[in-house]
Amino acid sequence: MEGILEFLFCVGFLYWVFPNYFTEGFSRINKMVDVLSRRIIDTYNRFAPRDPNQNESISSISYVHRVHKEQKFKKPTKQAVENLFAIKEDVPPVTIAPRRQYPTNSQCNCNSRGVTKPTPNLTNCALKNILKYTPAQKNINLLNRVFNHLSQVYELKKYTYPQVEGTVIKDERVKHAIEKMSVQQFRDTDDNDDEVYNKLLSGNKKRAAKLLRDMRSKLSDFLLRFTSWVLYKLFPCFLKAVVVHPAHVQMLKEASKSNLPMIFLPLHRSHLDYILMSFILLNNDIRSPLVASGDNLRIPFFGSLLRGLGAFFIKRRVDPIMGRKDHIYKAILHTYMNECLRAGHNIEFFLEGGRTRTGKPCMPKYGILSVIVEAVIDGTIEDALLVPVSINYEKLVDGNFVREQLGQAKEMETFGSAIKGIWQVLNSNYGMIRVDFNQPFSLTTLINTFNTNGKIPKPIFNKKLKSNPSSTSLYGTDVVSDEHKNIVESISKHVIYDCANTQAIMSTNAVAFLLLNKYKQGVSMQELVDALDELKTELIAKNREIGFTGDYLDVINYAIEILGPALVMKEKGPSNEDFIKPVSMLPNVIELSYYSNSLMSCYSLDSVIAIALFSLDLKSGIVEQDDLVQASLELCNYLQYEFIFCRPCQSLESNILEAIDCLRNRHHIFTLLDSDKPAQVSMACLDIDDEERVVYNPVQYQLNAKGKEYAFFLRSLLMPLIEAYSVTASSLYKLVDRTVLENELVKDILEEMKSELSSGSLLYEESVSVDPIKNALKLYQRLELLEVHTEKKLKLYYLKENVNNNDSVKKMFEKIDVYRSTQKFDVTIFSYDMKE
């Protein structure tokens, strides 16, 4: 007994002398217990049998304590309090969660339909985290449990990946290109000796062989398996989950049984996209694709690694040789892809070309797809299956593109930068990645649809905009015939539209969208919870996939943690409740807008209608439907490089009318007024076939006070773009009687934006960005205001001769600025008469 008392006395004395050490010791013990419990639970989750419909694993003890504490002090909502006092005489109805939407082409107006249909018993299954491998019950043994990842890669289905270099260099197309280039070079010389020609011919043959060596892929089954095992160990270091739908995987397996090459077309957000796609396909026993990669990734070690994982390297620009077209390179690339398709390889490439810098899908590049379309048309392959893929990240692994958006030059990839980037990634938390595979559809069916059924829509604008393909791309050269270019453009836009509208909305996207566009001055946590609930309901109504679930308070806290204090600040309000505020200053706001822009495809057309609405004369509070539609069509024309507003097989005007009806019925922005006028045909549809014409009465709308706030909210979504286009138009006066390099012009426009921002003329900090400026310059070029001359990767801009004056620049500026004007922001135009 005395020994126990002495021990307690010593402990008490030490605690009195060194209290900090004891506090830290107890804290470490608690953390150690939490770590051990989490490890035990993770081990249980790994080996215990799982229900295929089970969504979440068992929570850790620390998580349960945290949730219990938060729920204990959580202020009940108004609805919850009302429910406590509600008298329930009947059994409450059971709320059934909505079925998970399966991405298909069912809403498409063209004849393209998926070649495979969802498996009924899988469409309602829970999402699958592919980082958590669970061996089949019949194959479970001690080795599988201890070396589960090694066992997984060993049991994968083995494929052969034939090399096609030998057939490429012997192809008649390549031989003809070599001879053609040699003849052109020989004619440029003053020497007519045959020996000179033979020397040129030999040099071009060697160059063709070198181009092929630099381009080709060396896809290796062993390297795929080894890399897969390594990724099983590395991905959990910085990712919580990589999520796919089991029905999507089964759909791809069924499609692969057709023995047709599958063309995977993912949205491009990160360099991790290359490896992620191959990792998912390989571990689900689907043939890994060859991946078209930019030659900027052909760096020491990593270039060879990517080549062994399926990458073949192509030039971003096909630069001329000695002032002539590089026929040899184009022939090598075209023939290499044809031979790969003929050999049965699947192919993956990014229609957008490079990674998006804004978070919105980029406009498609047509080069590689045009080669595949030509291969189907000329009979090189029987058919191919296009598979649109949507990839979204809770936090972008590549960092951000703020430097580039502020006009600084892109940093080229090097071995040192790759090592540094990998080290930073492995010591960070990037949350979850969601991958959604769309339903595969036949390329032959799409070609026939757009080619013979007259479904390629005619321009709905008064002015026909002609396409000016680059002479430095495959699409702008003789590789693609002119009659097939419209088909390639329509298919490309169709795919991008489908990818954008099936992309899952992550928690970081939703929180960033609300904070940047609705609560820029900050918001209380409870109000943000209510707004997130409302946003999720609206997204579900728009048939968008939601990439988060659970209690909204946990979702918001998790998103804030992922985004970090550089983008979102969390403070204590006057009543000691959490107050959330976005960092809306440059340059942080540009990165925050990247995550917010993932939702712009949901609201782009609604925002266009709202902006068009406020550009009209609204003094009477009444608007003609035809005026609203025409203004919306014109604004869609101006924003054609920012969004694809509808599928190429659909009528844009019909989509606008449908969106107006939704704003009237669901959000009560308008009240429909009776009209006794006879029916008329919209002037915008005079060039559309009879079956495509939209006939309606020239109805009128009265603005409702009930939808006033929502109308202002919609208007604000695209106003940063309108401001950027307006300032760019006003800056074109600098080109009167002079030429300016693109970099200098963009820099001057950025400085003008910053000046207007500091003076208060520019209202949105996110307007100060390079991408919308360059898109505006493309628009003014296609509107025949600007001309551009390209030489040695430099672009010179100048005004066309017939508009080389200040008056023409002013007219263009006024056309854009009418949508930016704030003089019509008068709340009195909204009627309080709710008559329907």
Side-chain angles (χ1 to χ4, degrees):
M1 188 65 181
E2 293 179 357
I4 295 175
L5 291 175
E6 289 179 0
F7 174 76
L8 293 175
F9 175 77
C10 292
V11 170
F13 177 76
L14 292 174
Y15 179 75
W16 179 69
V17 177
F18 306 107
N20 293 335
Y21 287 97
F22 274 78
T23 303
E24 184 179 354
F26 288 134
S27 176
R28 290 188 177 185
I29 291 173
N30 287 332
K31 290 181 179 179
M32 188 185 303
V33 171
D34 185 40
V35 169
L36 289 174
S37 64
R38 193 162 59 244
R39 294 278 177 89
I40 293 171
I41 292 171
D42 288 342
T43 304
Y44 172 80
N45 288 329
R46 180 184 302 176
F47 299 120
R50 285 177 61 86
D51 182 353
N53 292 318
Q54 182 177 342
N55 269 318
E56 303 291 341
S57 62
I58 298 176
S59 302
S60 65
I61 292 175
S62 62
Y63 175 79
V64 173
H65 283 316
R66 182 180 63 82
V67 172
H68 173 72
K69 185 177 179 181
E70 290 179 356
Q71 293 294 333
K72 183 178 180 180
F73 296 101
K74 180 180 176 181
K75 182 181 178 181
T77 61
K78 181 179 179 182
Q79 185 64 38
V81 174
E82 292 177 355
N83 291 339
L84 291 176
F85 298 97
I87 300 177
K88 300 180 180 179
E89 299 177 351
D90 301 322
V91 178
V94 178
T95 303
I96 301 177
R99 291 171 61 112
R100 186 177 301 281
Q101 293 293 325
Y102 189 85
T104 66
N105 301 337
S106 58
Q107 298 178 346
C108 190
N109 292 344
C110 64
N111 292 334
S112 64
R113 290 293 182 268
V115 297
T116 57
K117 295 183 179 180
T119 307
N121 63 336
L122 290 178
T123 51
N124 281 343
C125 282
L127 295 173
K128 176 184 177 182
N129 179 11
I130 63 173
L131 299 185
K132 292 185 177 180
Y133 168 67
T134 304
Q137 291 290 331
K138 62 180 181 180
N139 296 329
I140 290 182
N141 53 51
L142 181 60
L143 290 177
N144 281 346
R145 292 188 177 188
V146 177
F147 305 104
N148 55 345
H149 293 152
L150 194 60
S151 172
Q152 155 74 354
V153 298
Y154 176 77
E155 294 173 356
L156 293 175
K157 185 176 179 180
K158 186 174 183 179
Y159 288 96
T160 58
Y161 301 99
Q163 301 297 316
V164 298
E165 297 82 42
T167 55
V168 170
I169 207 68
K170 297 176 182 178
D171 188 82
E172 289 298 323
R173 184 196 301 269
V174 175
K175 291 181 179 179
H176 176 72
I178 292 173
E179 292 176 0
K180 184 177 181 180
M181 180 66 76
S182 301
V183 169
Q184 290 179 351
Q185 292 174 344
F186 182 68
R187 289 174 180 173
D188 291 339
T189 62
D190 297 331
D191 197 339
N192 294 327
D193 191 356
D194 290 343
E195 185 178 348
V196 175
Y197 173 77
N198 291 333
K199 186 176 180 180
L200 292 172
L201 185 63
S202 175
N204 284 323
K205 287 181 179 179
K206 292 179 180 179
R207 178 171 178 268
K210 185 178 184 305
L211 288 173
L212 183 58
R213 287 195 303 271
D214 292 341
M215 178 188 300
R216 66 179 178 175
S217 170
K218 295 182 179 180
L219 187 55
S220 165
D221 182 73
F222 170 77
L223 188 57
L224 282 170
R225 293 168 185 260
F226 176 75
T227 306
S228 176
W229 175 75
V230 172
L231 293 177
Y232 267 123
K233 304 301 181 183
L234 293 183
F235 275 160
C237 295
F238 61 96
L239 295 175
K240 290 185 179 295
V242 177
V243 176
V244 296
H245 197 297
H248 296 184
V249 175
Q250 185 62 32
M251 169 193 67
L252 295 180
K253 290 182 178 180
E254 293 296 325
S256 63
K257 294 178 182 179
S258 65
N259 293 325
L260 294 174
M262 288 194 288
I263 313 300
F264 295 97
L265 304 170
L267 293 179
H268 197 10
R269 290 183 167 268
S270 166
H271 283 314
L272 192 60
D273 298 342
Y274 304 99
I275 299 174
L276 198 61
M277 285 287 297
S278 296
F279 179 72
I280 294 173
L281 297 175
L282 174 71
N283 286 283
N284 287 283
D285 290 333
I286 301 171
R287 177 187 287 271
S288 295
L290 301 182
V291 185
S293 306
D295 59 354
N296 58 309
L297 295 178
R298 191 155 53 90
I299 54 181
F301 178 74
F302 293 103
S304 300
L305 176 62
L306 291 176
R307 195 189 297 273
L309 296 177
F312 65 96
F313 298 100
I314 61 175
K315 296 180 180 180
R316 296 290 182 88
R317 295 170 54 89
V318 186
D319 295 320
I321 301 297
M322 299 178 62
R324 299 184 183 276
K325 294 180 180 179
D326 193 352
H327 299 289
I328 296 178
Y329 182 82
K330 296 165 189 172
I332 289 288
L333 178 55
H334 197 160
T335 306
Y336 180 77
M337 291 190 62
N338 282 352
E339 292 300 325
C340 288
L341 291 170
R342 188 183 283 115
H345 285 287
N346 294 334
I347 290 181
E348 173 193 342
F349 64 92
F350 302 99
L351 269 175
E352 301 166 282
R355 295 166 293 166
T356 173
R357 265 61 177 169
T358 62
K360 302 186 285 85
C362 301
M363 292 298 104
K365 306 293 190 297
Y366 309 115
I368 298 181
L369 182 61
S370 64
V371 175
I372 298 174
V373 170
E374 287 288 327
V376 172
I377 291 176
D378 63 20
T380 301
I381 55 175
E382 176 188 355
D383 196 3
L385 303 180
L386 299 186
V387 186
V389 185
S390 303
I391 304 177
N392 204 358
Y393 296 76
E394 283 187 334
K395 186 175 183 180
L396 194 63
V397 178
D398 294 19
N400 59 64
F401 301 100
V402 172
R403 293 182 68 261
E404 295 178 38
Q405 290 302 306
L406 291 179
Q408 300 181 39
K410 175 188 174 183
E411 293 183 349
M412 297 303 295
E413 292 81 0
T414 62
F415 178 80
S417 64
I419 292 294
K420 181 180 178 181
I422 291 174
W423 179 256
Q424 291 176 345
V425 165
L426 292 177
N427 289 277
S428 304
N429 177 21
Y430 293 91
M432 183 177 72
I433 300 176
R434 173 72 178 269
V435 182
D436 290 284
F437 294 93
N438 285 247
Q439 201 170 0
F441 50 87
S442 166
L443 181 56
T444 299
T445 303
L446 269 182
I447 292 173
N448 294 335
T449 298
F450 286 116
N451 191 35
T452 61
N453 292 348
K455 291 294 182 180
I456 300 178
K458 297 180 181 179
I460 58 178
F461 310 113
N462 295 329
K463 190 175 186 61
K464 182 177 180 179
L465 300 178
K466 298 181 179 179
S467 175
N468 297 315
S470 170
S471 60
T472 61
S473 69
L474 282 175
Y475 183 71
T477 62
D478 54 353
V479 172
V480 187
S481 57
D482 292 334
E483 60 268 23
H484 297 155
K485 287 184 177 180
N486 284 336
I487 298 175
V488 174
E489 291 182 19
S490 298
I491 294 174
S492 299
K493 291 181 178 179
H494 201 300
V495 170
I496 293 293
Y497 183 90
D498 288 343
C499 286
N501 284 275
T502 55
Q503 186 180 57
I505 304 301
M506 314 302 279
S507 60
T508 49
N509 301 138
V511 171
F513 178 79
L514 289 172
L515 292 177
L516 192 60
N517 298 292
K518 211 167 187 178
Y519 303 110
K520 212 165 188 177
Q521 303 304 319
V523 61
S524 67
M525 178 63 81
Q526 186 57 50
E527 189 175 352
L528 187 58
V529 166
D530 296 337
L532 184 61
D533 184 18
E534 182 181 347
L535 176 64
K536 182 177 178 180
T537 302
E538 189 167 348
L539 291 174
I540 293 175
K542 290 177 176 287
N543 294 323
R544 292 303 298 265
E545 187 70 20
I546 307 300
F548 57 90
T549 186
D551 184 81
Y552 292 131
L553 181 62
D554 291 333
V555 170
I556 292 173
N557 283 325
Y558 172 77
I560 292 173
E561 179 185 353
I562 292 292
L563 291 171
L567 301 183
V568 180
M569 295 186 296
K570 186 176 180 181
E571 304 169 345
K572 288 293 183 182
S575 57
N576 203 31
E577 64 175 354
D578 290 335
F579 190 79
I580 314 301
K581 186 176 182 181
V583 180
S584 57
M585 67 180 73
L586 285 173
N588 308 59
V589 70
I590 296 178
E591 185 178 358
L592 189 62
S593 68
Y594 179 97
Y595 296 99
S596 169
N597 283 341
S598 292
L599 277 81
M600 285 304 177
S601 60
C602 308
Y603 292 94
S604 57
L605 201 55
D606 293 344
S607 182
V608 162
I609 294 170
I611 294 174
L613 174 67
F614 286 104
S615 70
L616 302 175
D617 185 3
L618 303 178
K619 293 179 181 179
S620 64
I622 297 176
V623 58
E624 293 274 355
Q625 184 188 69
D626 189 63
D627 294 339
L628 181 58
V629 171
Q630 292 300 322
S632 300
L633 288 172
E634 184 180 55
L635 188 54
C636 287
N637 181 23
Y638 292 148
L639 298 178
Q640 60 182 282
Y641 287 105
E642 303 291 344
F643 302 98
I644 299 175
F645 292 100
C646 69
R647 293 183 176 94
C649 55
Q650 295 175 331
S651 166
L652 177 57
E653 182 171 7
S654 297
N655 282 24
I656 290 175
L657 289 172
E658 184 179 342
I660 291 175
D661 286 340
C662 179
L663 293 176
R664 179 173 64 87
N665 297 323
R666 183 177 177 83
H667 300 287
H668 309 290
I669 292 179
F670 311 107
T671 298
L672 182 63
L673 299 179
D674 295 332
S675 177
D676 299 328
K677 298 180 181 179
Q680 295 180 357
V681 179
S682 171
M683 296 301 295
C685 295
L686 292 180
D687 292 334
I688 298 179
D689 297 338
D690 291 339
E691 62 181 7
E692 292 285 340
R693 291 188 179 181
V694 180
V695 181
Y696 58 87
N697 289 319
V699 295
Q700 294 179 324
Y701 298 121
Q702 184 171 9
L703 304 183
N704 277 342
K706 189 175 181 180
K708 174 186 63 176
E709 184 179 349
Y710 192 75
F712 291 165
F713 162 69
L714 289 179
R715 182 184 186 273
S716 68
L717 296 181
L718 296 186
M719 281 309 296
L721 292 176
I722 301 299
E723 286 189 340
Y725 277 56
S726 177
V727 175
T728 302
S730 67
S731 300
L732 295 182
Y733 75 89
K734 299 177 182 179
L735 299 181
V736 176
D737 296 327
R738 60 183 294 223
T739 60
V740 179
L741 286 171
E742 181 186 48
N743 291 341
E744 295 179 7
L745 181 60
V746 171
K747 183 178 179 181
D748 290 343
I749 296 173
L750 283 174
E751 292 300 323
E752 177 65 23
M753 285 182 170
K754 292 177 182 178
S755 175
E756 291 194 18
L757 186 64
S758 61
S759 66
S761 300
L762 208 66
L763 302 179
Y764 299 89
E765 292 85 353
E766 55 267 36
S767 300
V768 185
S769 187
V770 166
D771 257 44
I773 294 175
K774 290 187 175 180
N775 289 338
L777 293 176
K778 290 179 185 177
L779 172 70
Y780 301 144
Q781 181 187 351
R782 296 199 51 184
L783 293 178
E784 298 183 355
L785 182 68
L786 285 179
E787 283 194 3
V788 58
H789 174 72
T790 305
E791 186 173 349
K792 296 182 179 180
K793 300 183 181 181
L794 296 177
K795 288 185 177 180
L796 279 172
Y797 279 98
Y798 54 94
L799 295 173
K800 297 195 72 170
E801 186 176 354
N802 60 326
V803 292
N804 190 14
N805 54 75
N806 289 323
D807 290 340
S808 298
V809 172
K810 184 179 178 182
K811 288 180 181 178
M812 187 71 254
F813 166 73
E814 290 173 348
K815 288 181 180 180
I816 301 293
D817 198 60
V818 67
Y819 297 104
R820 182 186 174 191
S821 176
T822 58
Q823 61 183 353
K824 299 180 179 62
F825 253 64
D826 183 4
V827 296
T828 61
I829 64 177
F830 287 89
S831 169
Y832 284 83
D833 180 13
M834 300 304 295
K835 179 182 66 175
E836 287 289 345

